[in-house]
Amino acid sequence: MLPVDDLGEPVPLPGPPRRVVSLVPSLTEAVDPAVLVGATDYCTHPPDLAVTRVGGSKYPKVDRVLALRPDLVLANSEENRPEDVERLRADGIPVWVTAAPASVPAALGSLRRLLGTAWDVEPGWLVEAERLWRDVRPPWAKAVVPVWRKPWVVVGRDTFAGDVLHRLGVVNVYADHAERYPRPSVDELRALDVDLVVLPDEPYLFTPDDGPQFFPGLRPVYVSGRHLTWYGPSLVAARAALEQALA
């Protein structure tokens, strides 16, 4: 029986993949760089990664991916378009699609299954990340978490970033919203009863000059978007870094 990805789709893996293209920055960082032959323009870690770049996650250059003759492509149900995944599979390329994780344990469990199935490995960073993020602090502050501006987009329900903050004791005020990424008006944002506005540096680059002025009276907390939204080796350093920023 063939192994299946997070969406239940079969992935033919005759052996450990040796030519991998990753379309997801978090997954690029999580696999052994020795097997990578291609990655997106936004795959910035590891910093010294020297592979062919295949465009963005949303609009990769599929012909360039095919030209690399990968024996596995890594994708994500939220970051990558189904039509690109379908085209790769139609050309005989195995694609492992991870689900959009709603929590830190779900993300690490997904990575554990991918790495164990494809390469039969359990990296030390994975074990350490599971240990570091096991505990949940009691709630001590409420926050709004913008991830985009023009229009405003904030972290809503069932998101990895929301669970990261939850484990640090920060309540996302939009955690019970019907949408995963609501688009509130500025007036709605300013009327919120919260203590903090958490401002990551990606996907939108919030800075002291672009962001906090829209939230008068709230304490701005500037964080690394990688620490807040990436799931992989970055999680080992993320907890301490985010706790320091929130302090």
Side-chain angles (χ1 to χ4, degrees), residues 184-201:
S185 66
V186 174
D187 290 339
E188 179 180 329
L189 290 172
R190 287 178 173 170
L192 294 173
D193 178 21
V194 295
D195 309 297
L196 310 172
V197 53
V198 177
L199 298 169
D201 61 7

Side-chain angles (χ1 to χ4, degrees), residues 146 148-154 182-186 189 199 206 211 214-215:
W148 199 257
R149 191 164 84 73
K150 305 175 186 178
W152 286 98
V153 180
V154 301
R183 298 190 175 198
S185 66
V186 174
L189 290 172
L199 298 169
F206 288 105
F214 297 97
F215 302 90

Side-chain angles (χ1 to χ4, degrees), residues 73-194:
V73 171
L74 302 177
N76 177 265
S77 62
E78 187 171 63
E79 293 198 40
N80 305 115
R81 301 186 305 165
E83 53 264 42
D84 292 329
V85 172
E86 290 168 5
R87 182 182 169 193
L88 290 167
R89 285 177 172 156
D91 277 277
I93 305 299
V95 183
W96 186 291
V97 182
T98 59
S103 69
V104 175
L108 292 174
S110 173
L111 287 172
R112 176 175 284 280
R113 200 168 69 82
L114 166 62
L115 297 173
T117 302
W119 293 280
D120 192 24
V121 295
E122 181 190 63
W125 62 259
L126 179 59
V127 178
E128 180 66 3
E130 289 172 332
R131 183 189 69 80
L132 287 169
W133 287 96
R134 188 172 297 124
D135 294 338
V136 179
R137 285 188 60 187
W140 60 271
K142 292 189 295 183
V144 59
V145 191
V147 291
W148 199 257
R149 191 164 84 73
K150 305 175 186 178
W152 286 98
V153 180
V154 301
V155 171
R157 64 167 181 83
D158 298 334
T159 62
F160 176 83
D163 189 59
V164 164
L165 292 172
H166 164 70
R167 290 170 185 275
L168 299 175
V170 177
V171 177
N172 171 22
V173 72
Y174 280 98
D176 295 325
H177 196 278
E179 299 177 8
R180 297 184 73 237
Y181 293 98
R183 298 190 175 198
S185 66
V186 174
D187 290 339
E188 179 180 329
L189 290 172
R190 287 178 173 170
L192 294 173
D193 178 21
V194 295

